[in-house]
């Protein structure tokens, strides 16, 4: 069963605290703008944005069960729990909300980590998540500025801020994020 935009918004917003829903609304608005600016489908970008954090407030045990019992990356379990909601969210979008479009599902799945060969839709949603108006972290204005000119440059700066923060806290880094960053830098070099 496919959900209408309104049904989707109603159902997803009920699954998170008001603050996180406000963030999601910021991501929706920003993803639509970036999609229009860079030639992605704004309707799909908004749908991915509505759903991107759907599993963010799931209990860890419940996320772990979904990862173990289904075809999700088992290596996630070795890495930080904040990563899990992205892949679990894509699973939920398909199972509970009837989303079949791989462009939308992948954008949800990779919105936190990135990946090698990020699609235009992956880039739009991931970058919107970094720069939506409610975000406030060191360097966010620089990322917003870069995003006006290049999705890839904005994302590299975003991943740099994440990686730098993890290093400063001596936390482990999900390798896919490093691969994603390297790949984006190669793309920027190829286009310069
Ligand atoms: Fe997220
Ligand atoms: Fe988010």
């Amino acid at each position: 069963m496919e959900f209408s935009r309104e049904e989707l918004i109603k159902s997803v917003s009920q699954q998170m605290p008001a603050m996180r829903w406000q963030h999601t609304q910021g991501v929706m608005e920003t993803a639509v703008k970036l999609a229009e600016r860079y030639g992605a489908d704004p309707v799909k970008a908004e749908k991915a944005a509505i759903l991107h954090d759907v599993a963010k407030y799931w209990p860890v045990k419940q996320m772990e069960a979904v990862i173990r019992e289904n075809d999700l990356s088992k290596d996630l379990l070795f890495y930080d729990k904040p990563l899990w909601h992205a892949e679990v969210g894509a699973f939920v979008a398909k199972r509970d909300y009837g989303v079949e479009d791989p462009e939308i599902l992948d954008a949800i799945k990779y919105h936190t980590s990135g990946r090698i060969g990020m699609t235009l839709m992956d880039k739009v949603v991931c970058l919107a998540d970094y720069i939506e108006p409610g975000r406030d972290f060191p360097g966010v204005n620089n990322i917003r500025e870069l995003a006006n000119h290049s999705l890839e440059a904005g994302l590299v700066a975003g991943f740099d801020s994440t990686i730098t923060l993890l290093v400063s806290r001596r936390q482990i880094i999900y390798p896919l994020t490093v691969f994603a960053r390297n790949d984006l830098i190669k793309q920027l070099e190829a286009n310069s």
Side-chain angles (χ1 to χ4, degrees):
M1 68 286 54
E2 270 276 17
F3 281 61
S4 71
R5 179 178 182 273
E6 284 62 39
E7 288 167 339
L8 206 55
I9 286 173
K10 187 161 182 253
S11 172
V12 174
S13 63
Q14 284 167 352
Q15 295 179 52
M16 54 188 68
M19 274 281 290
R20 179 62 47 172
W21 178 246
Q22 208 178 331
H23 157 73
T24 296
Q25 288 177 303
V27 178
M28 287 159 61
E29 180 190 311
T30 308
V32 167
K33 277 188 199 155
L34 290 174
E36 284 167 349
R37 165 92 175 73
Y38 291 103
D41 181 333
V43 176
K44 288 189 189 188
E46 190 192 48
K47 196 165 188 177
I50 295 170
L51 282 158
H52 85 287
D53 276 343
V54 67
K56 185 85 183 175
Y57 291 89
W58 275 30
V60 168
K61 285 270 172 256
Q62 202 179 333
M63 281 197 280
E64 188 177 339
V66 164
I67 293 168
R68 286 194 193 283
E69 290 159 18
N70 299 280
D71 186 25
L72 275 67
S73 312
K74 303 292 180 275
D75 73 333
L76 277 176
L77 299 169
F78 178 77
Y79 294 97
D80 290 343
K81 294 175 182 64
L83 282 164
W84 300 3
H85 77 282
E87 216 166 305
V88 174
F91 177 84
V92 169
K94 186 171 185 176
R95 186 190 66 183
D96 299 346
Y97 294 99
V99 178
E100 295 283 349
D101 188 329
E103 217 183 331
I104 297 175
L105 294 174
D106 282 344
I108 300 169
K109 183 171 177 178
Y110 297 107
H111 83 263
T112 310
S113 60
R115 61 167 162 167
I116 295 172
M118 290 178 81
T119 65
L120 180 58
M121 191 62 68
D122 291 355
K123 290 174 182 175
V124 161
V125 175
C126 186
L127 187 54
D129 195 29
Y130 271 112
I131 63 170
E132 62 92 2
R135 290 289 202 201
D136 184 18
F137 58 88
V140 70
N141 283 329
N142 176 47
I143 303 173
R144 288 188 177 115
E145 177 55 30
L146 291 167
N148 290 326
H149 310 288
S150 161
L151 285 173
E152 292 77 18
L155 281 169
V156 169
F159 287 140
D160 280 354
S161 75
T162 300
I163 292 167
T164 304
L165 183 71
L166 291 170
V167 169
S168 76
R169 292 177 176 171
R170 216 181 73 176
Q171 284 177 265
I172 59 172
I173 298 167
Y174 192 45
L176 200 54
T177 302
V178 177
F179 291 135
R181 173 185 178 274
N182 291 348
D183 187 46
L184 290 161
I185 290 175
K186 287 284 177 199
Q187 289 179 33
L188 284 167
E189 285 172 358
N191 292 329
S192 65

